[in-house]
């Protein structure tokens, strides 16, 4: 059974895309799945967040046509491979935008990754530019992290419109896997209001699991680790485990790895 490509996208900056991509990838890898994280942001935050260097081969090469099998490198985390990014990716994106076939380029080059990895996460930059368009054209599902704050809702309708346009033009089977509420402060009415508003708009597409605002989550990247290994017992780690398990439930056609007993998958 081939794996599935998830784009983690929201054109708004700082909403938790990278944190969500890194931690979901880490949770599913720890659960025994073969996971590939593709850092498609020139900021290379997912790369440094896993303690990896933004050097050598990178997602730039992926956009130059190199196969993912040659670019995926193992990380310190078992089952978790990474195609890192580096700042040059900004230039590669500009080149891509000038090419006629530029929008479906990643869809072509990344496709073989689903034969080797059960879950492929693509961490997108904070824009709806050529990199994000390529990620959405390549993905079968989109995960949208949303920060629990007032302006969060404003950009969402634009994002949903863009998803419709991508579906019509580039990727008819693209589906919204869900909206994940991040940086929730359980004590504030604002967080509750944003959650209620999202519930109204997205219904069951809003993940039941919510990610709290947590110092441990914010600290983890500076140690080059996902929060689920940096502080496995923290509320943030627990929340990301719940999100990951909910994602598995939502993609139930993708079987979990065979249990340790060796039963066939
Ligand atoms: N639940 C959380 N609690 C506290 N801090 C968080 C949480 N989630 C993310 N952060 C911090 O907020 C900042 C933005 O998060 P992150 O980098 O994941 O967002 P992003 O959407 O990927 O940003 P960008 O749009 O720049 O790519 C980071 O410093 C991160 O460590
Ligand atoms: Mg990011």
């Amino acid at each position: 059974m081939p794996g599935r490509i998830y784009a983690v996208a929201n054109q708004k900056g700082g909403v938790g895309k990278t944190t969500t991509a890194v931690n979901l990838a880490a949770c599913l890898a720890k659960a025994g799945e073969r996971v590939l994280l593709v850092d498609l942001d020139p900021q290379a935050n997912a790369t440094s967040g896993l303690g990896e260097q933004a050097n050598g081969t990178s997602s730039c090469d992926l956009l130059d046509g190199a196969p993912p099998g040659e670019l995926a490198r193992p990380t310190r985390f078992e089952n978790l491979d990474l195609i890192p990014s580096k700042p040059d990716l900004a230039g590669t994106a500009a080149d891509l935008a000038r090419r006629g076939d530029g929008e479906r380029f990643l869809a072509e080059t990344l496709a073989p990754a689903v034969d080797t990895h059960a879950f492929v996460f693509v961490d997108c930059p904070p824009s709806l530019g050529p990199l994000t368009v390529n990620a959405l054209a390549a993905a079968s599902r989109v995960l949208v992290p949303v920060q629990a704050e007032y302006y969060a809702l404003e950009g969402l309708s634009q994002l949903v419109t863009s998803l419709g346009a991508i579906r019509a033009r580039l990727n008819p089977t693209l589906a919204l896997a869900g909206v994940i509420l991040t940086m929730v402060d359980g004590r504030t009415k604002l967080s509750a209001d944003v959650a209620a508003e999202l519930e109204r708009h997205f219904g069951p597409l809003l993940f039941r699991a919510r990610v709290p605002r947590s110092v441990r989550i914010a600290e983890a990247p500076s140690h080059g680790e996902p929060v689920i290994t940096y502080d496995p017992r923290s509320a943030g780690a627990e929340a990301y485990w719940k999100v990951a398990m909910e994602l598995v439930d939502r993609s139930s056609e993708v079987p979990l790895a065979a249990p340790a007993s060796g039963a066939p998958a």
Side-chain angles (χ1 to χ4, degrees):
M1 170 84 68
R4 183 168 274 173
I5 299 174
Y6 292 90
V8 183
N10 187 334
Q11 77 277 19
K12 199 166 156 44
V15 298
K17 292 180 288 295
T18 301
T19 305
T20 298
V22 164
N23 280 287
L24 291 183
C27 285
L28 291 162
K30 202 158 175 84
E33 298 293 344
R34 296 273 301 152
V35 180
L36 175 63
L37 178 58
V38 180
D39 190 345
L40 205 66
D41 183 351
Q43 299 181 95
N45 294 151
T47 302
S48 58
L50 286 177
E52 297 291 322
Q53 301 290 325
N55 60 17
T57 57
S58 68
S59 48
C60 295
D61 301 287
L62 194 60
L63 293 175
D64 279 335
E70 278 175 23
L71 302 173
R73 46 168 109 153
T75 63
R76 289 179 291 142
F77 309 97
E78 200 180 351
N79 296 325
L80 177 52
D81 294 337
L82 172 73
I83 298 181
S85 175
K86 56 182 173 188
D88 300 355
L89 183 59
T92 311
D95 294 343
L96 206 60
R98 284 192 288 270
R99 296 175 46 148
D101 65 343
E103 292 179 315
R104 280 198 48 87
F105 202 77
L106 187 70
E108 303 291 334
T109 56
L110 191 57
V114 300
D115 297 329
T116 51
H117 293 81
F119 290 86
V120 179
F121 292 98
V122 182
D123 184 31
C124 295
S127 83
L128 289 169
L131 291 169
T132 299
V133 169
N134 263 269
L136 294 173
S140 54
R141 297 281 188 276
V142 198
L143 281 167
V144 181
V146 173
Q147 186 178 348
E149 52 138 49
Y150 179 69
Y151 293 111
L153 299 164
E154 290 192 349
L156 272 181
S157 54
Q158 194 194 348
L159 182 60
V160 168
T161 305
S162 300
L163 292 181
I166 302 263
R167 227 176 261 133
R169 221 155 43 79
L170 297 168
N171 183 3
T173 57
L174 180 67
L176 182 59
V179 172
I180 300 169
L181 195 53
T182 67
M183 299 184 227
V184 174
D185 184 341
R187 295 163 304 183
T188 65
K189 181 171 179 305
L190 180 61
S191 275
D193 287 351
V194 173
E197 192 71 8
L198 286 172
E199 182 90 57
R200 212 160 57 76
H201 274 85
F202 292 99
L205 282 174
L206 176 64
F207 273 63
R208 288 182 301 282
R210 314 257 151 109
V211 180
R213 183 174 285 284
S214 136
V215 173
R216 305 307 262 168
I217 290 178
E219 286 171 353
S222 65
H223 296 262
E225 283 190 61
V227 74
I228 67 136
T229 61
Y230 174 65
D231 188 350
R233 276 194 273 274
S234 62
E238 251 173 55
Y240 270 114
W241 270 111
K242 285 191 185 147
V243 174
M245 292 307 116
E246 209 173 319
L247 180 66
V248 169
D249 285 348
R250 282 161 189 258
S251 54
S252 52
E253 315 94 286
V254 181
L256 269 177
S261 66

